[in-house]
Amino acid sequence: MTDRPDRPAADTFFRAFLVSGFFAFFVLLILVWVTAGYGWALALAGAIWFALHLAATA
């Protein structure tokens, strides 16, 4: 028997990419909040959510 994992390596890389993407998104929102204020950060988060929602339903 080999000690190879059952999952392919691409699954591991996808998960790491997803986690780092969420981290970068929240860092971006915090930077916008600090520099431009809560309203702009909320508007940016809403716009990104809306774009992802439209892309998911199309």
Side-chain angles (χ1 to χ4, degrees):
M1 294 270 312
T2 62
D3 292 332
R4 291 175 41 189
D6 293 335
R7 287 181 278 165
D11 182 43
T12 306
F13 290 124
F14 178 74
R15 187 177 304 128
F17 177 74
L18 196 63
V19 169
S20 62
F22 276 116
F23 180 73
F25 173 70
F26 285 116
V27 168
L28 172 72
L29 286 182
I30 290 171
L31 288 176
V32 169
W33 187 352
V34 167
T35 58
Y38 177 73
W40 281 104
L42 190 61
L44 179 64
I48 291 173
W49 174 85
F50 188 64
L52 290 174
H53 181 71
L54 285 179
T57 58

